[in-house]
Amino acid sequence: QEKRRHYFIRRLKEEMVDYHGQPIYKPRLCQTVKFGLSKPEQAFYEESSEYLRWSFETNKTLNRNAAAMVVAVLQRRLASSTYAMLQSLKRRRERIVNGAGPEPTASPERLLELLDTATADESEPTETGTESQERVEEQALALSRPRGEKQQEMELRYLDATIRQGEAILEDQCETKFLKLREIVDSAEFQNERLLIFTEHRDTLEYLQQRFEALGYTGQVAAIHGGMDVEERERQRIFFMPPTERRRQNVPNPDGPSARILLATDAAGEGINLQFAWLMVNFDVPWNPARLEQRMGRLHRFGQRHDEVRIFNFVAEKTREGDVLATLLA
């Protein structure tokens, strides 16, 4: 231990300097962007939370860990986007009515470990193009199922009511979180700048892609998720790259179409260099701080040429997870 202390020096990126005493890494400025839910969104949040409380209380006597795992998965998706939560609720309903979906192959404890530590590119995509985290979530949701006709009827009532509320929000296209994101994208300060947007869930990524394309951003949005092979991820990275950077890296056809926005799950959180951009939004913030650091490392890395790297972390007010995240990010 004494030898290790003598020879090893551990420093934060911000503290590292070159032989001339100049910082090696550019300053990293992180900003928590708080937003309030609209009345329909708050109602959807409360209805969803009530369903999750009922689910846990009803199933905890059979297997407390399994019941908690179902709640954890759905709570994260609820914090991500209405669309992501809605897709999970619909899949849950389909499983209850038709028995569709995969059977769990791991214990609740193992699934929780995978959910907290795994990143989206830690396994190869399957033939269906699903991410490793998506497969973990599907197995987790299969841990708990209604026992008896009465419980099934009650759960379906919860699901139907919550799904109706979520669909109304999407139909009105009034998600406050997306409107806050659009403010950053359209702001005069960042006009024409490239923007990296991270989310934990591919459902949310697809929702954002649809919304941006509907607003006229067709041909300006790249995407990277764990369902893509390595070659497709690299094609999307190059699509996001500006012509000047393509020339610097000798990329063929440097003046070809180029995206301004890159939507990514944690599949882009490791091993992908994007230091030609300097703006990043965490549309949803991961609970694992290592994942957050991996995300920021795509831009905050050696070779960044802009004067600073800006990180925006989105946090919903008057929500349980929002209160926790706001405290941790303060």
Side-chain angles (χ1 to χ4, degrees), residues 31-270:
Q31 177 181 342
T32 300
V33 179
K34 296 182 180 180
F35 61 93
L37 300 177
S38 64
K39 286 185 178 180
E41 289 175 303
Q42 192 69 45
F44 177 71
Y45 179 85
E46 297 301 335
E47 183 75 23
S48 298
S49 298
E50 178 59 32
Y51 163 60
L52 296 181
R53 281 192 292 271
W54 172 85
S55 176
F56 178 74
E57 292 297 327
T58 303
N59 295 294
K60 68 179 182 179
T61 54
L62 182 65
N63 189 324
R64 187 180 185 88
N65 289 334
M69 191 66 197
V70 172
V71 172
V73 168
L74 292 177
Q75 193 78 44
R76 293 183 188 207
R77 295 181 71 84
L78 176 60
S80 178
S81 68
T82 300
Y83 183 85
M85 181 60 167
L86 196 56
Q87 296 306 109
S88 285
L89 294 177
K90 289 180 177 179
R91 287 192 286 265
R92 174 74 175 172
R93 192 185 192 287
E94 176 71 14
R95 168 177 278 277
I96 291 173
V97 173
N98 298 321
E103 294 299 321
T105 58
S107 67
E109 294 77 15
R110 176 56 179 160
L111 289 173
L112 181 60
E113 179 185 349
L114 290 172
L115 189 67
D116 282 336
T117 61
T119 54
D121 60 344
E122 286 184 346
S123 64
E124 292 298 319
T126 63
E127 292 180 0
T128 58
T130 57
E131 293 187 345
S132 58
Q133 182 166 314
E134 289 175 327
R135 296 192 291 276
V136 170
E137 289 180 350
E138 284 302 305
Q139 288 194 49
L141 293 177
L143 289 169
S144 176
R145 60 187 65 201
R147 301 190 309 276
E149 184 176 337
K150 184 177 180 180
Q151 184 177 332
Q152 177 171 314
E153 289 178 358
M154 178 63 73
E155 181 157 5
L156 288 176
R157 280 202 294 271
Y158 270 113
L159 288 169
D160 289 341
T162 312
I163 288 170
R164 282 195 299 271
Q165 285 186 314
E167 287 179 334
I169 292 170
L170 294 182
E171 185 176 348
D172 290 340
Q173 296 188 344
C174 60
E175 263 203 301
T176 310
K177 195 176 185 181
F178 179 78
L179 298 178
K180 185 64 66 174
L181 175 62
R182 190 179 175 187
E183 286 180 14
I184 294 176
V185 173
D186 294 340
S187 69
E189 182 181 4
F190 306 133
Q191 193 171 22
N192 300 323
E193 295 289 349
R194 278 165 171 73
L195 183 65
L196 171 60
I197 303 171
F198 268 108
T199 176
E200 283 200 284
H201 304 287
R202 185 160 57 147
D203 282 330
T204 298
L205 182 152
E206 292 174 351
Y207 163 74
L208 293 176
Q209 195 167 21
Q210 293 167 10
R211 290 298 307 272
F212 277 122
E213 289 179 352
L215 290 171
Y217 285 87
T218 303
Q220 301 181 51
V221 180
I224 294 177
H225 57 73
M228 295 175 174
D229 57 30
V230 175
E231 291 77 13
E232 181 58 27
R233 296 184 199 189
E234 177 61 11
R235 282 192 289 270
Q236 292 296 312
R237 188 184 79 91
I238 292 173
F239 181 37
F240 183 55
M241 192 181 294
T244 53
E245 185 67 23
R246 292 178 184 175
R247 294 189 189 95
R248 187 177 287 109
Q249 296 190 24
N250 296 317
V251 174
N253 189 26
D255 294 314
S258 180
R260 185 192 164 200
I261 298 169
L262 173 58
L263 303 172
T265 64
D266 284 311
E270 295 181 88

Side-chain angles (χ1 to χ4, degrees), residues 28 116 285-296 328-329:
R28 184 172 73 186
D116 282 336
V285 181
W287 288 97
N288 184 342
R291 284 191 185 182
L292 184 60
E293 188 62 38
Q294 287 169 352
R295 290 180 179 186
M296 293 187 290
L328 293 175
L329 295 170

Side-chain angles (χ1 to χ4, degrees), residues 251-309:
V251 174
N253 189 26
D255 294 314
S258 180
R260 185 192 164 200
I261 298 169
L262 173 58
L263 303 172
T265 64
D266 284 311
E270 295 181 88
I272 296 179
N273 302 327
L274 302 170
Q275 64 266 44
F276 50 82
W278 60 280
L279 296 171
M280 190 181 95
V281 171
N282 285 307
F283 194 74
D284 40 50
V285 181
W287 288 97
N288 184 342
R291 284 191 185 182
L292 184 60
E293 188 62 38
Q294 287 169 352
R295 290 180 179 186
M296 293 187 290
R298 300 314 94 214
L299 309 185
H300 189 231
R301 58 190 304 113
F302 182 75
Q304 174 59 249
R305 285 176 285 277
H306 198 265
D307 293 339
E308 64 185 24
V309 173

